[in-house]
Amino acid sequence: MTTVSRSPSSRLTFSASLLALLLSSTTFPGSRAVAAEDKSSSASFSHAQPTTSQTTDRRESAGSVTIGGQKIDYRAVAGTLIVHPKGWDDSTSVVETRLGLHTDNKGDGRADDGNPDAAAAMFYVAYFKKDAKPEGRPITFVYNGGPGSASVWLHMGAFGPRRIVTMNDAHDPAAPYQLVNNEASLLDVTDLVFIDAPGTGFGRIAGKDREKSFWGVDADGHAFANFITQFLGEFGRYNSPKFLFGESYGTLRSAVLVNDLQNEDNIDFNGVILLSQILSYDNEGDEPKLNPGNDLPYVLALPTYAATAWYHHRLPGNPPDLKALLKEVEQFASNDYLLALQKGADLTADSKRAVAEKLHTYTGLPVDYLLRADLRVDVGEFEKTLQENDDTTTGRLDSRFSGPTINPLSEEADYDPQSAAISSAYISAFNDYTRKTLGYGNGQDYRGGIDTHWDFRHTPPGEGQAFDGSANVMPDLAYAMKTNPTLKVMLNAGYFDLATPYYEGVYEMKHLQIPNRLQSNIEYARYESGHMVYANETALKQLHENVASFITRSSNVNPAHTE
């Protein structure tokens, strides 16, 4: 990358100009070509006109949505905000810019301020109810996970004013797709800000060490905190009830983010809403064999295996009641199954067979297969094996979905049928919606996600260094709850989610290092759906009711004062 000479006083404005230039380009290559894109255009950054605003771009529009028979008029704002990596000190830059001073390294006695060069333009779409008083109107920041995913899924599938119509558990036909009024939008109880992670959506990252500066557990958390603090100031929402809503990796982000916002920025939040939770990657069931000695992922995935086998009628006797079945499986998983796995080589052959036979009744998998697997079947193996007699692969994000097996000889699933079934509908619908309705994005490429190596090292609260290995942010959420004992937490999960099994989320919440009295600040809701709970229209309605109730109860305002 070409080195650009500039004064410290213009570092802030340089980064804004740099990202503005990126966003004004007529075309953008795919996500795999980010580095080439930035390098090829870096030479022109020095010629960009500086600006004193952190906002690079914005489009406003108006609309209405009908929820529960009530018409809600809203103002929509689509745009980007510039954020900087941790370590950016704006005090020197802001003061010197206001005083008209310029510092450089040419012997005038004023040293370079040492701010990092990287910057990101984070794309967002915000919806504000018209004529509502900001101090009494909650505001909720919404994002997906990935890591490295845009918020298109929650925007188009769950809570935006328009919703994409998809099949319940089958592959959608190709375009045209249908957007409809979203009765489940949360605009009846809260303003909404859908945020795309750095480098996704219409946002871009640029500058030296850009990937290192934004694509990691702690770097990502700081970027979102930087975005939210700016947004609260720019739109006058510091005194509004405030909520975070994250899905999947977004739940891990929420734990880091709420702790950063509360204990570094002194901004308490009313509530954190988690959908399809994973706070500790040691609990995931994709490749637990790479971490031998940790049997917990098998235990936490078992209830979802049972729910999936029940849905596809693979269980002996076809139990009629899903919830009664899962209660029984949870009991077995946390007791007999866990104890058997912990015995390791000391488990007798007879005991091993007895456990395998019990697992067969709960998973539908053959006893001999379970024995050969040493009673340990990971998620990918389960997806491939459950319906392999029909040459069918079971879905991962939503195990109600199925699809043709790619390679019948493989040990694990080669793709996710649910992701393949709905991705085109979501991306196509949003690209059409944002250009025609929001008036944003012409000449630009919307990136639903990025393909990157994420830095999972994390520095827990109170520690001075990051730890290698799997990320675990349970201490962050616990710290946030202890330093703000009024913080409420809501966990939402689908029974048919093999990516982040629902029992995993329950286990993590029950093992937070918090006083028992704070456990009453946590509430749970489960749905007959998958990772993207809202992909099931019935579950979406239930999700709206539960989340809307949670926000209303946690907002600390008199409803009469919100208008």
Side-chain angles (χ1 to χ4, degrees), residues 458-526:
H458 173 55
T459 303
E463 300 293 338
Q465 63 180 11
F467 292 92
D468 293 330
S470 300
N472 184 345
V473 300
M474 291 169 63
D476 299 68
L477 183 58
Y479 197 87
M481 294 181 70
K482 286 187 284 191
T483 55
N484 174 14
T486 68
L487 179 67
K488 301 299 191 295
V489 179
M490 181 186 192
L491 172 57
N492 298 273
Y495 290 125
F496 306 112
D497 177 7
L498 286 170
T500 57
Y502 79 90
Y503 201 46
E504 172 192 314
V506 174
Y507 177 88
E508 291 173 346
M509 286 301 186
K510 299 295 185 182
H511 287 79
L512 289 178
Q513 293 177 314
I514 57 176
N516 282 341
R517 65 181 181 275
L518 290 184
Q519 282 287 336
S520 63
N521 285 6
I522 305 172
E523 58 187 82
Y524 303 83
R526 301 175 193 173

Side-chain angles (χ1 to χ4, degrees), residues 344-410:
D346 289 334
L347 186 67
T348 66
D350 288 345
S351 296
K352 186 173 184 178
R353 174 164 288 277
V355 173
E357 290 173 349
K358 195 68 171 178
L359 287 174
H360 166 69
T361 65
Y362 290 148
T363 67
L365 300 179
V367 172
D368 64 334
Y369 176 84
L370 292 164
L371 290 171
R372 285 186 285 114
D374 198 26
L375 308 180
R376 296 163 174 85
V377 178
D378 69 30
V379 168
E381 293 166 342
F382 179 80
E383 294 167 24
K384 169 64 168 53
T385 307
L386 180 65
Q387 303 182 80
E388 68 177 355
N389 290 341
D390 298 327
D391 204 20
T392 296
T393 292
T394 305
R396 176 176 181 269
L397 291 176
D398 192 327
S399 60
R400 298 174 304 136
F401 286 73
S402 300
T405 295
I406 302 294
N407 179 9
L409 298 179
S410 64

